[in-house]
Coordinates of all heavy atoms in Angstrom, one line a residue:
L1 N 0.8 -1.2 0.0 CA 0.0 0.0 0.0 C 0.9 1.3 0.0 O 0.5 2.3 -0.6 CB -0.9 0.0 1.2 CG -2.0 -1.1 1.3 CD1 -2.7 -1.1 2.6 CD2 -3.0 -0.9 0.2
Y2 N 2.0 1.2 0.7 CA 2.9 2.3 0.8 C 3.5 2.7 -0.5 O 3.6 3.9 -0.9 CB 4.0 2.0 1.8 CG 4.9 3.1 2.1 CD1 4.5 4.2 2.8 CD2 6.2 3.1 1.6 CE1 5.4 5.3 3.1 CE2 7.1 4.1 1.9 CZ 6.7 5.2 2.6 OH 7.6 6.2 2.9
Y3 N 3.9 1.7 -1.3 CA 4.6 2.0 -2.6 C 3.8 2.1 -3.8 O 4.2 2.6 -4.8 CB 5.8 1.0 -2.8 CG 6.9 1.3 -1.8 CD1 7.2 0.4 -0.7 CD2 7.8 2.4 -2.0 CE1 8.2 0.7 0.1 CE2 8.8 2.6 -1.1 CZ 9.0 1.8 -0.1 OH 10.1 2.0 0.8
A4 N 2.6 1.5 -3.8 CA 1.7 1.5 -5.0 C 0.8 2.7 -5.0 O 0.4 3.2 -3.9 CB 0.9 0.2 -5.0
D5 N 0.4 3.2 -6.1 CA -0.5 4.3 -6.3 C -1.9 3.9 -5.7 O -2.3 2.7 -5.8 CB -0.6 4.7 -7.7 CG 0.6 5.4 -8.3 OD1 1.4 5.9 -7.5 OD2 0.8 5.3 -9.5
A6 N -2.6 4.9 -5.2 CA -3.8 4.6 -4.5 C -4.9 4.0 -5.4 O -5.7 3.2 -4.9 CB -4.4 5.9 -3.9
E7 N -4.8 4.3 -6.7 CA -5.9 3.7 -7.6 C -5.5 2.3 -8.0 O -6.3 1.6 -8.7 CB -6.1 4.6 -8.8 CG -4.9 4.7 -9.7 CD -3.9 5.8 -9.3 OE1 -4.0 6.3 -8.2 OE2 -3.0 6.1 -10.1
K8 N -4.3 1.8 -7.7 CA -3.9 0.5 -8.1 C -4.3 -0.6 -7.1 O -4.1 -0.4 -5.9 CB -2.4 0.4 -8.4 CG -1.9 1.4 -9.4 CD -2.3 1.1 -10.8 CE -1.8 2.0 -11.8 NZ -0.4 2.0 -11.9
P9 N -4.8 -1.7 -7.5 CA -5.2 -2.8 -6.5 C -4.0 -3.5 -6.0 O -2.9 -3.6 -6.6 CB -6.1 -3.7 -7.4 CG -5.6 -3.5 -8.8 CD -5.1 -2.1 -8.9
I10 N -4.2 -4.1 -4.8 CA -3.3 -5.0 -4.2 C -3.9 -6.4 -4.2 O -5.0 -6.6 -3.8 CB -3.0 -4.6 -2.7 CG1 -2.5 -3.1 -2.7 CG2 -1.9 -5.5 -2.1 CD1 -1.3 -2.9 -3.4
D11 N -3.1 -7.4 -4.7 CA -3.6 -8.8 -4.7 C -2.9 -9.7 -3.7 O -1.7 -9.7 -3.6 CB -3.3 -9.4 -6.1 CG -4.2 -8.7 -7.2 OD1 -5.2 -8.1 -6.9 OD2 -3.7 -8.8 -8.4
I12 N -3.7 -10.4 -2.9 CA -3.2 -11.3 -1.9 C -3.6 -12.7 -2.3 O -4.8 -13.0 -2.5 CB -3.7 -11.0 -0.5 CG1 -3.0 -9.7 0.0 CG2 -3.3 -12.1 0.5 CD1 -3.8 -8.4 -0.3
R13 N -2.7 -13.7 -2.3 CA -3.0 -15.0 -2.7 C -2.5 -16.0 -1.7 O -1.5 -15.8 -1.1 CB -2.4 -15.4 -4.1 CG -2.8 -14.6 -5.3 CD -2.2 -15.1 -6.5 NE -2.7 -16.5 -6.8 CZ -3.8 -16.8 -7.5 NH1 -4.5 -15.8 -8.0 NH2 -4.1 -18.0 -7.6
L14 N -3.3 -17.1 -1.5 CA -2.8 -18.2 -0.8 C -2.9 -19.5 -1.7 O -4.0 -19.8 -2.1 CB -3.7 -18.4 0.5 CG -3.5 -19.7 1.3 CD1 -2.0 -19.9 1.7 CD2 -4.4 -19.8 2.4
D15 N -1.8 -20.1 -1.9 CA -1.7 -21.3 -2.8 C -1.1 -22.4 -2.0 O -0.3 -22.3 -1.2 CB -0.9 -21.0 -4.0 CG -1.5 -19.9 -4.9 OD1 -2.6 -20.1 -5.4 OD2 -0.8 -18.9 -5.1
V16 N -1.6 -23.6 -2.3 CA -1.1 -24.9 -1.8 C -0.2 -25.5 -2.9 O -0.7 -25.8 -4.0 CB -2.2 -25.8 -1.4 CG1 -1.6 -27.1 -0.9 CG2 -3.0 -25.2 -0.3
I17 N 1.1 -25.7 -2.6 CA 2.0 -26.2 -3.6 C 2.7 -27.5 -3.2 O 3.1 -27.6 -2.0 CB 3.1 -25.1 -3.8 CG1 2.5 -23.8 -4.3 CG2 4.2 -25.5 -4.8 CD1 3.4 -22.6 -4.4
Q18 N 2.8 -28.4 -4.1 CA 3.4 -29.7 -3.9 C 4.9 -29.5 -4.1 O 5.4 -29.0 -5.1 CB 2.9 -30.7 -4.9 CG 3.4 -32.1 -4.7 CD 2.9 -32.8 -3.4 OE1 1.8 -32.7 -3.1 NE2 3.8 -33.5 -2.7
S19 N 5.7 -30.0 -3.2 CA 7.2 -29.9 -3.3 C 7.6 -30.8 -4.4 O 7.1 -32.0 -4.6 CB 7.8 -30.4 -2.0 OG 9.2 -30.5 -2.2
E20 N 8.6 -30.4 -5.2 CA 9.2 -31.2 -6.3 C 10.2 -32.2 -5.8 O 10.5 -33.2 -6.5 CB 9.9 -30.2 -7.3 CG 8.9 -29.3 -8.0 CD 9.6 -28.4 -9.0 OE1 10.8 -28.5 -9.1 OE2 8.9 -27.6 -9.7
Q21 N 10.7 -32.0 -4.6 CA 11.8 -32.8 -4.0 C 11.2 -34.1 -3.3 O 11.8 -35.1 -3.3 CB 12.7 -32.1 -3.1 CG 13.7 -31.2 -3.8 CD 13.1 -29.9 -4.3 OE1 12.1 -29.4 -3.8 NE2 13.6 -29.4 -5.4
D22 N 10.0 -33.9 -2.7 CA 9.4 -35.0 -1.9 C 7.9 -34.9 -2.0 O 7.4 -34.1 -2.8 CB 9.9 -35.0 -0.5 CG 9.8 -33.6 0.2 OD1 8.7 -33.0 0.0 OD2 10.7 -33.1 0.9
T23 N 7.3 -35.6 -1.1 CA 5.8 -35.6 -1.2 C 5.2 -34.6 -0.3 O 3.9 -34.5 -0.1 CB 5.3 -37.0 -0.7 OG1 5.8 -37.2 0.6 CG2 5.8 -38.1 -1.6
S24 N 6.0 -33.7 0.3 CA 5.4 -32.7 1.3 C 4.8 -31.6 0.5 O 5.0 -31.3 -0.7 CB 6.5 -32.1 2.1 OG 7.5 -31.5 1.3
T25 N 3.9 -30.9 1.2 CA 3.2 -29.7 0.6 C 3.4 -28.5 1.5 O 3.7 -28.7 2.7 CB 1.7 -30.0 0.5 OG1 1.1 -30.3 1.8 CG2 1.4 -31.1 -0.5
Y26 N 3.4 -27.4 0.9 CA 3.5 -26.1 1.7 C 2.6 -25.1 1.2 O 2.1 -25.1 0.0 CB 5.0 -25.7 1.6 CG 5.5 -25.4 0.3 CD1 5.5 -24.1 -0.3 CD2 6.1 -26.4 -0.5 CE1 6.0 -23.8 -1.5 CE2 6.7 -26.1 -1.8 CZ 6.6 -24.8 -2.3 OH 7.1 -24.5 -3.5
A27 N 2.3 -24.1 2.0 CA 1.5 -23.0 1.7 C 2.3 -21.8 1.3 O 3.4 -21.6 1.9 CB 0.6 -22.6 2.9
C28 N 1.9 -21.1 0.2 CA 2.6 -19.9 -0.2 C 1.7 -18.7 -0.2 O 0.6 -18.7 -0.9 CB 3.2 -20.1 -1.6 SG 4.1 -18.7 -2.3
V29 N 2.0 -17.8 0.6 CA 1.2 -16.5 0.7 C 2.0 -15.4 0.0 O 3.2 -15.2 0.2 CB 1.0 -16.1 2.2 CG1 0.1 -14.8 2.3 CG2 0.3 -17.2 2.9
S30 N 1.3 -14.7 -0.9 CA 2.0 -13.7 -1.7 C 1.1 -12.4 -1.7 O -0.1 -12.5 -1.7 CB 2.2 -14.2 -3.2 OG 1.0 -14.5 -3.8
V31 N 1.8 -11.3 -1.8 CA 1.2 -10.0 -1.9 C 1.8 -9.3 -3.1 O 3.0 -9.0 -3.2 CB 1.5 -9.2 -0.6 CG1 0.9 -7.8 -0.8 CG2 0.9 -9.9 0.6
T32 N 1.0 -8.9 -4.1 CA 1.4 -8.3 -5.3 C 0.9 -6.9 -5.4 O -0.3 -6.6 -5.2 CB 0.9 -9.1 -6.5 OG1 1.4 -10.5 -6.4 CG2 1.4 -8.5 -7.8
D33 N 1.8 -6.0 -5.7 CA 1.5 -4.6 -5.9 C 1.9 -4.2 -7.4 O 2.6 -4.9 -8.1 CB 2.2 -3.6 -4.9 CG 3.7 -3.6 -5.1 OD1 4.2 -3.2 -6.1 OD2 4.4 -4.1 -4.1
Q34 N 1.4 -3.0 -7.8 CA 1.8 -2.4 -9.1 C 2.6 -1.2 -8.9 O 2.4 -0.2 -9.5 CB 0.5 -2.2 -9.9 CG -0.3 -3.4 -10.2 CD -1.5 -3.2 -11.0 OE1 -1.5 -2.3 -11.9 NE2 -2.6 -3.9 -10.7
G35 N 3.5 -1.2 -8.0 CA 4.4 -0.1 -7.6 C 5.6 0.0 -8.6 O 5.6 -0.5 -9.7
P36 N 6.6 0.7 -8.2 CA 7.8 1.0 -9.0 C 8.6 -0.2 -9.3 O 9.5 -0.2 -10.3 CB 8.6 2.0 -8.3 CG 8.2 1.8 -6.8 CD 6.8 1.3 -6.8
G37 N 8.5 -1.3 -8.6 CA 9.3 -2.5 -8.8 C 10.7 -2.4 -8.3 O 11.1 -1.3 -7.8
L38 N 11.5 -3.5 -8.3 CA 12.8 -3.5 -7.8 C 13.8 -4.1 -8.8 O 13.5 -5.1 -9.5 CB 12.8 -4.4 -6.5 CG 12.0 -3.9 -5.3 CD1 11.8 -5.0 -4.3 CD2 12.6 -2.7 -4.6
S39 N 15.0 -3.6 -8.8 CA 16.1 -4.2 -9.6 C 16.5 -5.5 -8.9 O 16.2 -5.8 -7.7 CB 17.2 -3.2 -9.7 OG 17.9 -3.1 -8.4
S40 N 17.3 -6.3 -9.6 CA 17.8 -7.6 -9.0 C 18.7 -7.3 -7.8 O 18.7 -8.1 -6.8 CB 18.6 -8.3 -10.1 OG 19.7 -7.6 -10.6
I41 N 19.5 -6.2 -7.8 CA 20.3 -5.9 -6.7 C 19.5 -5.5 -5.5 O 19.7 -5.9 -4.4 CB 21.3 -4.8 -7.0 CG1 22.3 -5.2 -8.1 CG2 22.1 -4.3 -5.8 CD1 23.2 -4.1 -8.6
E42 N 18.4 -4.7 -5.7 CA 17.6 -4.2 -4.6 C 16.8 -5.4 -4.0 O 16.6 -5.5 -2.8 CB 16.5 -3.2 -5.2 CG 17.1 -1.9 -5.6 CD 17.4 -1.0 -4.4 OE1 16.5 -0.6 -3.7 OE2 18.6 -0.8 -4.2
Q43 N 16.5 -6.4 -4.8 CA 15.8 -7.6 -4.3 C 16.6 -8.4 -3.3 O 16.0 -9.0 -2.4 CB 15.4 -8.5 -5.5 CG 14.3 -7.9 -6.4 CD 14.0 -8.8 -7.6 OE1 13.9 -10.0 -7.4 NE2 13.9 -8.2 -8.8
Q44 N 17.9 -8.3 -3.4 CA 18.8 -8.9 -2.4 C 18.9 -8.0 -1.2 O 19.0 -8.5 -0.1 CB 20.1 -9.2 -3.1 CG 20.1 -10.1 -4.2 CD 19.6 -11.5 -3.9 OE1 20.0 -12.0 -2.8 NE2 18.8 -12.1 -4.7
R45 N 19.0 -6.7 -1.4 CA 19.4 -5.8 -0.3 C 18.2 -5.6 0.7 O 18.4 -5.3 1.9 CB 19.8 -4.5 -0.8 CG 21.2 -4.6 -1.5 CD 21.6 -3.2 -2.0 NE 22.9 -3.2 -2.6 CZ 23.5 -2.1 -3.1 NH1 22.9 -0.9 -3.0 NH2 24.8 -2.1 -3.5

């Protein structure tokens, strides 16, 4: 909400994903904005 423009929506997802290494499953929660984005260096920092 802080970095995205007020008129842009925020998407929140909960997905159930099967592990490729074994039979375990895990939940993935994600939050997607339409803000300025990040460079590959920024994504690490």
Side-chain angles (χ1 to χ4, degrees):
L1 293 172
Y2 182 73
Y3 285 107
D5 292 334
E7 65 273 11
K8 301 292 180 64
I10 305 298
D11 294 336
I12 291 91
R13 299 186 62 91
L14 169 59
D15 295 300
V16 176
I17 301 175
Q18 181 73 42
S19 173
E20 297 179 358
Q21 285 75 30
D22 50 43
T23 59
S24 63
T25 57
Y26 59 92
C28 181
V29 180
S30 61
V31 177
T32 302
D33 63 64
Q34 299 181 38
L38 297 163
S39 67
S40 57
I41 295 177
E42 292 283 293
Q43 291 177 45
Q44 299 297 320
R45 292 181 173 181

